[in-house]
Amino acid sequence: VAGAPDRPNEFEIIARYFDRGAGAADVVVGIGDDAAVIDVREPLVVATDTLVAGVHFPDDFAADALGYRALAVNLSDLAAMGARPRWCTLALTVPAADAGWLAEFAGGLFRLADELSVTLIGGDLTRGPLTVTIQILGTVAADRLLTRGGGRPGDDVYVTGTLGDAAAGLPVSRDAEDVLGRRFAYPTPRVAAGLALGGLASAAIDVSDGLVADLGHVCEQSGCAAEIDVERLPLSEALLARFDADAAYAAALAGGDDYELCFAAPPGAAAAVAAAARASATPMTRIGSLVAGTGVRCRLRGRRYLPPATGYRHF
Ligand SMILES: [Mg+2]
């Protein structure tokens, strides 16, 4: 049954906006069958992330940004594993089959997918409250895999990019002209950095819930503690132009949604980390160290610094 031109049915939507024909050579069966089939020759890395309207993004968030961001947050998880992203599936729930909205959503999604050579291999489309679930699949050689658990006391702790921008930008995330708003709407997944750090970093995580919370997960799984020198945190000019130092530090330490990588590496690897930063065109800043003990402690110019309440908690 054909839908009206501006109210396409499920199959028309998939054909018009999401099915782009034969894809990569490693896709044996793509969109249009009961399931996708991919040819995997290396260890497979799988992650999934759901974005719910009103929970993970404002109800009036732009469709282009939603398509981009839904894929970016999944890519970030693969980056944190040192993996190369290759395929994804999309489960999309929309309140209505709005042709203009769907075209914009697909535009944002495929812009990022094409940039990183990721193929959409299947998915599901349903009607209901706006929700986007992407499953990302990638591969990594076993000796280049990054996990949260390999850090050791004495390792240096680094972050990529700048921190705090997305949390500061959330209230203005609809403003495409606002630098901080764009940092929330269009996060940069650090895939190139993750690949460059394979075999080099001792542990890694992506900063989705806030630096202190996420570095805390590294500490737990590595069986050690971390000390952050707050004055070393990489802060953008845009953040510092809008906030005083304390508010900027708070956003950098506790604000979520940055999707930068936080990683550890032995002190002897400092030159190799600098080379990885150049090779991946990604700023990497040393912000502290792993030490014996538990938990994450912060210092500001050598004195104890209490970070604000940390970490987004869903439940
Ligand atoms: Mg993660």
Side-chain angles (χ1 to χ4, degrees):
V1 181
D6 59 338
R7 293 288 307 274
N9 68 32
E10 177 185 349
F11 305 106
E12 290 166 336
I13 289 170
I14 292 166
R16 196 189 300 174
Y17 300 108
F18 297 109
D19 186 356
R20 304 197 303 171
D26 46 34
V27 179
V28 182
V29 178
I31 290 172
D33 216 305
D34 294 292
V37 180
I38 50 180
D39 191 355
V40 183
R41 290 161 198 277
E42 277 185 295
L44 184 65
V45 184
V46 183
T48 190
D49 225 332
T50 293
L51 301 187
V52 179
V55 177
H56 300 98
F57 58 92
D59 286 312
D60 64 347
F61 201 49
D64 180 87
L66 182 58
Y68 189 101
R69 191 170 195 280
L71 182 58
V73 303
N74 278 279
L75 290 166
S76 178
D77 277 328
L78 254 63
M81 305 298 291
R84 179 177 300 285
R86 295 172 65 178
W87 312 281
C88 68
T89 62
L90 166 69
L92 178 61
T93 302
V94 288
D98 177 327
W101 189 95
L102 286 161
E104 273 187 45
F105 175 87
L109 178 82
F110 284 121
R111 192 164 69 255
L112 182 57
D114 291 346
E115 190 186 312
L116 292 166
S117 302
V118 171
T119 306
L120 179 69
I121 55 171
D124 187 34
L125 182 65
T126 50
R127 192 153 68 89
L130 179 58
T131 304
V132 188
T133 297
I134 287 181
Q135 182 179 54
I136 187 87
L137 302 104
T139 51
V140 63
D143 61 351
R144 299 186 67 83
L145 175 63
L146 304 176
T147 68
R148 299 175 178 183
R152 293 289 172 269
D155 284 357
D156 293 328
V157 174
Y158 298 81
V159 291
T160 62
T162 56
L163 295 174
D165 297 332
L170 173 57
V172 286
S173 60
R174 284 250 26 178
D175 183 353
E177 304 298 310
D178 189 286
V179 175
L180 298 178
R182 286 189 66 82
R183 288 275 286 157
F184 179 88
Y186 298 97
T188 303
R190 297 300 191 180
V191 171
L195 289 169
L197 291 167
L200 179 60
S202 54
I205 192 168
D206 67 318
V207 180
S208 55
D209 295 342
L211 176 67
V212 171
D214 289 317
L215 180 55
H217 297 314
V218 170
C219 289
E220 274 164 39
Q221 298 208 16
S222 293
C224 58
E227 284 178 351
I228 298 174
D229 295 312
V230 172
E231 69 275 15
R232 291 176 180 263
L233 293 172
L235 306 176
S236 71
E237 286 178 23
L239 186 71
L240 291 169
R242 201 166 300 173
F243 294 101
D244 64 25
D246 259 343
Y249 291 148
L253 290 166
D257 295 308
D258 286 314
Y259 297 103
E260 297 294 349
L261 297 184
C262 176
F263 62 95
V273 170
R278 284 193 299 277
S280 61
T282 307
M284 297 181 185
T285 306
R286 185 177 166 247
I287 59 166
S289 308
L290 296 183
V291 296
T294 57
V296 176
R297 294 188 291 276
C298 298
R299 295 180 304 209
L300 180 60
R301 287 179 279 279
R303 307 180 73 148
R304 182 94 190 270
Y305 180 90
L306 270 185
T310 54
Y312 183 80
R313 301 185 84 94
H314 294 275
F315 299 103

